[in-house]
Amino acid sequence: MTHNSGPHGYGGGWAGAPQWGGMAPVAPQPGVIPLRPLALGDILGGAFQTLRRHWKAVLGVVLAVQAFVLPVMALVVGIAVAAVHQHFDPVFDPPYGEDPASEHVVPLLVAGATVFALLLVIGMLGMAVICALCPAVLKEAVTGRPTRFRPMWRASLRRAPAVAGAVFLGALTAAAPMLVVLAVWVPLVAATDSRDGASLLLVLLPVLLLIAFPLSVWLNVRFSFASAAVVLENAGPLTALRRSAALVRGDGWRILGITLVGALLAGVVAWVIQLPFNLIGTFALIPAMITQPQDGGGPSGGLIAGIVAAALLAVVGAAVSQVFQIGFGQLVSGLLYVDQRIRREGLAEAILADLAPAPAPPPAAPPAPPAPPQ
């Protein structure tokens, strides 16, 4: 992929910037953050302000993603169930004393693995659109520009494949230490014949995973800016991973700490958002449960309606809280990316230069006087 020219070889709006030459006593703030190195409060407050000012675009894109992803997932599951439904009874309800035949077990295993892989891919693509959305919204929020659904939707879809590639490669690299431990441990267990040896390996597994876990966390932090680099610098997946590693270098502990604080805060607020929906649904069930006949018959129409209403409220609450939790976490990561570029590459001056009005054209020269008559 080619990039526009600039001091760092990256293009796309915020790509090139002069070096940061000092911070004014009062930093300009055209959008949700002041254009200076950011503190924890600036980052968390900027994420909240972005969601508050641009919630329509964020919510619209997330709902559009869910409106596409959920039916496709349901269709995949439905097709798989219809294809292998005749094998369910022989496997899950075999004749007494008999084991299920392989001719019934194998199709279910193949169908299950296929469905799992397809759902994983569909879910990753849907998440990639959301991961591409947040930096696109953040770019407008930092500069104080408004956002609309259609431009944000187009920008998210355009960069979603590259974001998916960067997220997948970053996650795979971060999980590599844990996968290496399992790749070594499983053959050892399979080759061990003695019970004592198997017990020792079983005890050793958590220790090895505990040793590999910090390395996985470090790699995850190292590649945490990949989505922002893909969207804001028009970078490819591998370039975005290298770019993220360069920006994180030397500040990993600070970035990890702020990311954890943002994730904890997002989880608490998401729980608070979902709680009223769950409470209203629960209280709506109480009258129906009280009036339910005790004659041993089936559930009454009122109870069924109450259960449906409670389930719908729980689904709505979960969807709203998920939008906030995912969006807030991505915005915190995006603001950390902006902060690192302000500190290291003078992004603040580049933004101000981009927002400065174009110089007025010089006044037109007056017309020449007419020539005197001969």
Side-chain angles (χ1 to χ4, degrees):
M1 177 178 291
T2 60
H3 304 281
N4 296 337
S5 60
H8 304 283
Y10 294 91
W14 289 357
Q19 294 299 313
W20 178 259
M23 183 175 63
V26 178
Q29 184 172 340
V32 296
I33 57 169
L35 297 181
R36 55 169 171 74
L38 303 177
L40 173 62
D42 298 322
I43 292 173
L44 299 180
F48 275 114
Q49 287 294 321
T50 301
L51 287 176
R52 185 181 68 84
R53 298 183 186 181
H54 304 275
W55 66 270
K56 292 181 180 179
V58 174
L59 183 61
V61 173
V62 172
L63 290 180
V65 170
Q66 292 180 342
F68 174 78
V69 167
L70 295 181
V72 171
M73 286 183 169
L75 180 62
V76 169
V77 174
I79 292 174
V81 170
V84 297
H85 73 280
Q86 68 272 18
H87 301 289
F88 285 159
D89 287 341
V91 172
F92 297 108
D93 190 20
Y96 180 75
E98 296 182 10
D99 293 329
S102 60
E103 62 196 37
H104 296 296
V105 174
V106 171
L108 289 183
L109 292 177
V110 172
T114 304
V115 168
F116 175 78
L118 289 175
L119 294 183
L120 184 63
V121 171
I122 295 170
M124 182 177 294
L125 290 176
M127 182 58 67
V129 176
I130 297 175
C131 291
L133 163 71
C134 291
V137 171
L138 189 62
K139 180 179 180 181
E140 307 305 321
V142 169
T143 55
R145 298 188 180 103
T147 57
R148 292 180 297 174
F149 169 76
R150 288 186 178 179
M152 294 298 101
W153 174 250
R154 288 194 296 266
S156 303
L157 286 183
R158 186 175 63 251
R159 301 306 296 159
V163 169
V167 170
F168 174 75
L169 292 176
L172 185 62
T173 306
M178 314 285 280
L179 296 176
V180 169
V181 169
L182 293 176
V184 173
W185 181 82
V186 170
L188 289 177
V189 171
T192 301
D193 296 330
S194 65
R195 179 173 298 180
D196 292 339
S199 300
L200 178 62
L201 289 174
L202 194 61
V203 173
L204 189 60
L205 178 61
V207 177
L208 295 175
L209 291 177
L210 191 61
I211 294 173
F213 180 73
L215 182 56
S216 293
V217 173
W218 176 76
L219 289 171
N220 189 62
V221 173
R222 187 175 177 84
F223 299 134
S224 58
F225 295 160
S227 297
V230 167
V231 177
L232 298 178
E233 300 182 13
N234 201 31
L238 293 176
T239 304
L241 293 176
R242 291 194 295 267
R243 180 70 168 143
S244 176
L247 288 172
V248 170
R249 187 178 297 116
D251 280 335
W253 285 111
R254 175 177 172 271
I255 292 170
L256 175 61
I258 295 177
T259 301
L260 291 177
V261 171
L264 179 62
L265 182 60
V268 171
V269 176
W271 178 79
V272 172
I273 291 173
Q274 189 171 1
L275 184 61
F277 292 91
N278 294 340
L279 290 177
I280 293 172
T282 301
F283 287 134
L285 274 176
I286 294 177
M289 295 176 66
I290 293 175
T291 57
Q292 170 68 17
Q294 304 298 321
D295 55 2
S300 64
L303 181 60
I304 294 176
I307 293 174
V308 172
L312 289 176
L313 285 171
V315 169
V316 172
V320 175
S321 63
Q322 186 183 41
V323 169
F324 175 84
Q325 190 167 8
I326 295 174
F328 188 83
Q330 291 294 319
L331 290 173
V332 168
S333 178
L335 286 169
L336 280 168
Y337 161 88
V338 172
D339 175 52
Q340 289 299 102
R341 292 200 60 187
I342 287 176
R343 292 171 183 269
R344 299 185 177 188
E345 299 175 358
L347 181 60
E349 294 181 358
I351 294 174
L352 292 175
D354 185 55
L355 294 175
Q374 296 297 330

